Amino acid sequence: MPYSLDPLAFAPQLKRSRVTFFTLLKALGVASLIAPFTVSCSTRNQAKPMPSGFVKKVSKDETGTRRVTKMLERAGKEPLKGMEAEEAFLVAETLLQEKQFDAAAKLYGAVFDVQPTLVAGLKLARLLTLSGETARAENVVKKLELLYPKSAEPSLALAFLEQIRGSRDEALVTLEDAYRKHSKSEEVAARYTEILLEAGKKEKAKSILYESIRAMPNSTYFLLRLARLRTEDGNFKEAKNLLDRLLRVDPENTDAWMLAGYIASEEKNNEAAERYFREAYEKQPENDVLARYYVGQLLRQEKYQEARRLLVRLEQAADETSPLDPELTFQLGYVLFQLEDYKEAKKRFEGLAEKSADKGRMYFFVGQCEELLKNALSAQAWYQRIPMESEFHTQGQQRSIILTLEEGKVDAARAQLDTYARESRGEEAHFRFLATIQARLKEHTKAMETVVAGLAKHPTSVELEYLRAAYLEHTSSREASLKALEEFLKKHPSHSQALNHLAYAFAESGTRLEFAESLLKRALKDDPKNGFYLDSLGWVYAKQGKLDAAEKHLLLALQQEPEEPVILEHLGEVKMMRNEFGLALKYFERAQSVFGEKPAWKIESDAEWKLSASRVKERIRELRRMALGSDAAGVAR
């Protein structure tokens, strides 16, 4: 789903027990400029503690315009002295909290001129950088490098400044030098790793991560960052080992649980993936991204009821100030759709229709709901709204054509089909759909021409090759088609539709029944709940006289396809073979009833249905005559 985030997207999580530039920028309210590294400040470099009661002396009430103006005027004329510098530092801190950045920068500058502490210098450099005074900021940072050679913070600040100016190569050199001097600094190693990755130097970044883990074995940042890189490489085993170490250090780390879920999902271990995503979500239930991943895993396992409960709870907890994430709303609509609650599903999709960037997807799903609610005209209207650029445009066209056919409007369907053909971009699926509808309209020559044209453009298409073999029955002969299907299965022995097609043809003719049985068992191995394959096997058993096996498989088929009249006909025939004429009549009458609900054109266009409807009608006549004959004999006696 669109909209879902890449599970490998990463933001470093460092220990933040010290004062950091991250914290400073949050105070400044400039989120877009938050650098992906932290700046720790040693307490020995900070300004001296103020005397007791001094903070009250410069409280917010006393930092009004007049007092600040006076202090700024004084700072601009001559260097601050002693307590003045310390007072100015505290006033600058207050101004910073009040987001009076220019005034704060002036006072930090005045303080730095007389007390060039690391804290004052770093704050001044950051404010100068944010205001665009990068040359002054660079001078401050370079002075700090000379004054505090054992501190990594000036180098980190310089690298940030170089990146702000778009000089990534200079920043890389600065961080490489900083790493040589401060290899045991978590911030330096982390920032160096990130810039190496930005520069495409992945192997070097991995070597830094391995070195950092040896030096700092309990660093959750390095363990997680390396685990992500090994996941990208497909080395899931090492990634899982790293995550195992990380979770022993920090069992509450949601990023680690999330990555573990992603790996389990890639390894098709759905139960483990669900467990890991649930762990992550339960630790941060307010995190919509984690909720989407957890729900996504539930959907992958078709645990729709569980997904519905979770999503409904999230929907009920949402309000106007904190609305439900649109993708979670879509997931709820999809879950309700799968649970056949089409009315409620439609409400969710309609609610998203005009807000979503992917309108085509919403229009398609609203159309699907309307179609299943038997509102064909409304469904078509929604399908026709899908924009051409949407990935759902073609599917919407196809469903609209099928609905038009379902209504018996053959001429209108042909017109839609012509439009569909003109708008095609020549995809393989286009040729398959076009040929299938043409065959349904009994335009078999056209259908074969479409298949041939499709194969010319997509010569490796297995499905088009299958259709060519199948359509030979109508354009050449049944024997030619069966021969072509056998040749096709030699190349594609697991193509279940072809296996069923060939086997059913033999069942209908009563020939090669053991071979037909083996074909169908192969088809059902791949698709054990396919009602049509079960019906074919049941019909093969009936032709073999294995009536118990026949009835068993036909009843299973009916469970999967309760409205398929051919299955009902076959069950009627098995009951006839058992001399259970009353039950046989009931099955035939049910089949006739189902046929009666189908439009005449649809039965006429389906050769199997047409033949089955005729046979059912004759069987009903026959059984009723038998019943009448039995009654007459009883009266004579």
Side-chain angles (χ1 to χ4, degrees):
M1 295 170 206
Y3 195 92
S4 60
L5 301 177
D6 177 5
L8 294 180
F10 178 74
Q13 291 190 347
L14 304 180
K15 294 177 183 176
R16 302 194 186 279
S17 57
R18 295 163 286 181
V19 178
T20 68
F21 180 44
F22 180 93
T23 308
L24 171 62
L25 283 176
K26 283 185 73 175
L28 293 174
V30 193
S32 62
L33 292 177
I34 292 177
F37 60 87
T38 61
V39 183
S40 60
C41 302
S42 170
T43 54
R44 75 165 179 263
N45 293 320
Q46 295 182 21
K48 297 176 184 178
M50 297 296 106
S52 176
F54 186 79
V55 174
K56 183 178 178 182
K57 183 179 177 182
V58 291
S59 66
K60 184 175 180 180
D61 292 339
E62 296 186 56
T63 58
T65 303
R66 186 174 61 81
R67 181 177 179 78
V68 172
T69 301
K70 185 177 178 182
M71 187 171 288
L72 288 169
E73 288 175 354
R74 174 73 182 274
K77 291 178 181 177
E78 58 186 60
L80 299 176
K81 298 176 182 177
M83 293 291 290
E84 290 179 330
E86 293 169 348
E87 179 183 3
F89 181 86
L90 289 177
V91 172
E93 294 280 276
T94 303
L95 291 170
L96 183 62
Q97 292 174 7
E98 294 176 350
K99 299 185 180 180
Q100 297 185 46
F101 302 138
D102 290 341
K106 288 177 183 177
L107 287 180
Y108 280 130
V111 171
F112 188 70
D113 287 341
V114 296
Q115 289 186 5
T117 64
L118 184 59
V119 173
L122 289 172
K123 290 190 175 185
L124 174 60
R126 298 317 193 265
L127 288 171
L128 291 172
T129 299
L130 293 174
S131 66
E133 297 183 68
T134 54
R136 281 187 64 198
E138 185 173 1
N139 288 335
V140 171
V141 170
K142 287 188 174 179
K143 186 174 181 180
L144 289 173
E145 283 189 310
L146 293 173
L147 291 171
Y148 304 101
K150 293 184 179 181
S151 173
E153 280 83 353
S155 296
L156 289 169
L158 179 60
F160 174 61
L161 176 60
E162 288 164 341
Q163 284 190 286
I164 287 288
R165 292 191 304 207
S167 304
R168 188 181 64 191
D169 291 343
E170 290 180 20
L172 182 59
V173 171
T174 297
L175 288 167
E176 187 174 14
D177 183 59
Y179 181 72
R180 278 197 295 268
K181 295 175 184 175
H182 310 284
S183 61
K184 292 185 179 181
S185 164
E186 188 175 18
E187 290 93 341
V188 171
R191 188 67 198 109
Y192 185 35
T193 298
E194 292 304 320
I195 202 167
L196 284 169
L197 290 169
E198 289 171 18
K201 299 183 178 184
K202 189 174 180 179
E203 293 307 313
K204 177 65 174 176
K206 284 193 284 191
S207 71
I208 298 299
L209 287 170
Y210 281 117
E211 289 173 10
S212 299
I213 288 171
R214 284 193 289 272
M216 294 166 273
N218 291 331
S219 168
T220 58
Y221 163 74
F222 295 120
L223 289 168
L224 183 59
R225 197 66 181 96
L226 185 57
R228 289 182 182 280
L229 289 176
R230 300 312 280 149
T231 299
E232 289 175 7
D233 296 338
N235 190 336
F236 295 154
K237 183 177 180 180
E238 185 181 351
K240 287 190 289 187
N241 287 337
L242 290 162
L243 290 174
D244 186 55
R245 288 174 59 182
L246 189 162
L247 289 167
R248 284 200 295 270
V249 174
D250 180 11
E252 300 300 308
N253 192 302
T254 56
D255 286 328
W257 286 112
M258 193 170 175
L259 182 58
Y262 173 79
I263 293 171
S265 179
E266 288 294 294
E267 292 181 326
K268 311 300 181 188
N269 188 346
N270 290 325
E271 289 184 6
E274 179 192 340
R275 185 167 68 253
Y276 298 146
F277 283 133
R278 183 173 64 246
E279 284 279 357
Y281 170 71
E282 288 177 349
K283 294 179 191 320
Q284 288 186 14
E286 73 288 351
N287 188 322
D288 285 345
V289 175
L290 295 178
R292 288 205 300 274
Y293 282 123
Y294 178 30
V295 171
Q297 189 57 43
L298 291 173
L299 297 184
R300 189 170 288 115
Q301 298 179 85
E302 299 184 1
K303 294 185 175 181
Y304 298 124
Q305 291 289 0
E306 192 172 338
R308 185 188 67 80
R309 283 192 293 272
L310 171 61
L311 289 166
V312 167
R313 188 166 69 246
L314 289 171
E315 185 181 58
Q316 290 172 344
D319 54 37
E320 289 184 4
T321 59
S322 181
L324 186 64
D325 180 277
E327 188 61 23
L328 289 172
T329 301
F330 177 80
Q331 285 181 326
L332 178 54
Y334 180 77
V335 166
L336 293 166
F337 183 86
Q338 293 297 326
L339 293 171
E340 300 182 9
D341 190 348
Y342 304 123
K343 187 175 179 181
E344 287 298 314
K346 175 188 158 190
K347 280 169 55 178
R348 272 63 177 195
F349 296 137
E350 278 187 313
L352 291 168
E354 299 310 321
K355 303 175 191 173
S356 173
D358 190 1
K359 289 182 172 56
R361 177 169 63 146
M362 300 308 151
Y363 294 161
F364 178 77
F365 275 98
V366 175
Q368 289 276 281
C369 291
E370 292 285 36
E371 188 175 338
L372 290 161
L373 289 166
K374 309 298 182 185
N375 300 326
L377 290 176
S378 179
Q380 285 181 306
W382 282 99
Y383 291 143
Q384 288 161 10
R385 291 179 66 184
I386 301 173
M388 282 192 68
E389 62 273 15
S390 170
E391 63 177 306
F392 291 90
H393 177 70
T394 298
Q395 287 175 272
Q397 279 186 303
Q398 292 174 353
R399 292 308 310 165
S400 187
I401 291 167
I402 290 168
L403 284 174
T404 303
L405 272 176
E406 293 287 337
E407 293 169 7
K409 299 175 182 177
V410 176
D411 290 340
R414 282 197 175 97
Q416 285 179 291
L417 202 61
D418 288 341
T419 302
Y420 173 81
R422 285 195 302 272
E423 292 181 356
S424 165
R425 302 181 186 123
E427 302 95 335
E428 187 262 0
H430 154 79
F431 288 106
R432 279 193 285 124
F433 177 79
L434 188 57
T436 301
I437 298 300
Q438 288 168 337
R440 194 168 175 181
L441 292 169
K442 289 193 168 183
E443 297 175 352
H444 299 299
T445 301
K446 268 191 180 181
M448 182 62 88
E449 289 171 355
T450 298
V451 168
V452 171
L455 281 168
K457 194 160 188 177
H458 305 280
T460 60
S461 170
V462 174
E463 296 307 318
L464 288 173
E465 190 180 348
Y466 162 68
L467 290 180
R468 180 171 61 183
Y471 291 166
L472 280 172
E473 180 174 352
H474 305 288
T475 60
S476 179
S477 67
R478 186 178 183 81
E479 290 71 24
S481 177
L482 295 179
K483 184 177 178 181
L485 285 168
E486 287 201 63
E487 290 300 317
F488 173 82
L489 283 169
K490 287 178 183 176
K491 291 193 289 182
H492 311 289
S494 60
H495 193 284
S496 56
Q497 194 174 353
L499 290 165
N500 178 66
H501 189 138
L502 186 59
Y504 189 72
F506 289 138
E508 283 287 88
S509 64
T511 59
R512 301 180 68 182
L513 294 175
E514 289 186 4
F515 179 52
E517 181 183 344
S518 68
L519 294 176
L520 288 163
K521 285 179 177 177
R522 281 160 55 188
L524 284 163
K525 187 175 181 181
D526 288 337
D527 193 357
K529 292 185 178 181
N530 189 298
F532 297 101
Y533 302 170
L534 288 164
D535 170 62
S536 295
L537 183 56
W539 195 227
V540 166
Y541 283 139
K543 289 297 183 83
Q544 290 174 322
K546 301 174 182 177
L547 300 185
D548 288 344
E551 189 168 350
K552 173 187 171 183
H553 285 82
L554 290 171
L555 287 171
L556 288 171
L558 192 62
Q559 287 178 13
Q560 300 300 321
E561 301 291 339
E563 295 301 311
E564 174 52 50
V566 176
I567 300 174
L568 292 165
E569 182 210 348
H570 289 162
L571 277 163
E573 290 295 336
V574 169
K575 291 300 183 184
M576 287 281 286
M577 293 175 193
R578 289 185 180 278
N579 295 324
E580 296 175 7
F581 301 121
L583 290 173
L585 180 60
K586 287 182 180 179
Y587 280 120
F588 289 131
E589 286 176 338
R590 277 182 62 190
Q592 188 176 59
S593 176
V594 173
F595 278 126
E597 294 170 1
K598 308 294 181 185
W601 74 267
K602 193 170 184 181
I603 297 172
E604 189 65 27
S605 68
D606 189 315
E608 185 184 4
W609 272 12
K610 183 178 178 181
L611 185 59
S612 177
S614 175
R615 289 192 303 237
V616 163
K617 188 175 180 181
E618 185 54 42
R619 280 299 196 191
I620 289 173
R621 283 201 196 107
E622 180 184 348
L623 286 167
R624 285 176 179 168
R625 281 198 302 268
M626 288 172 60
L628 287 172
S630 175
D631 290 345
V635 171
R637 286 195 297 270

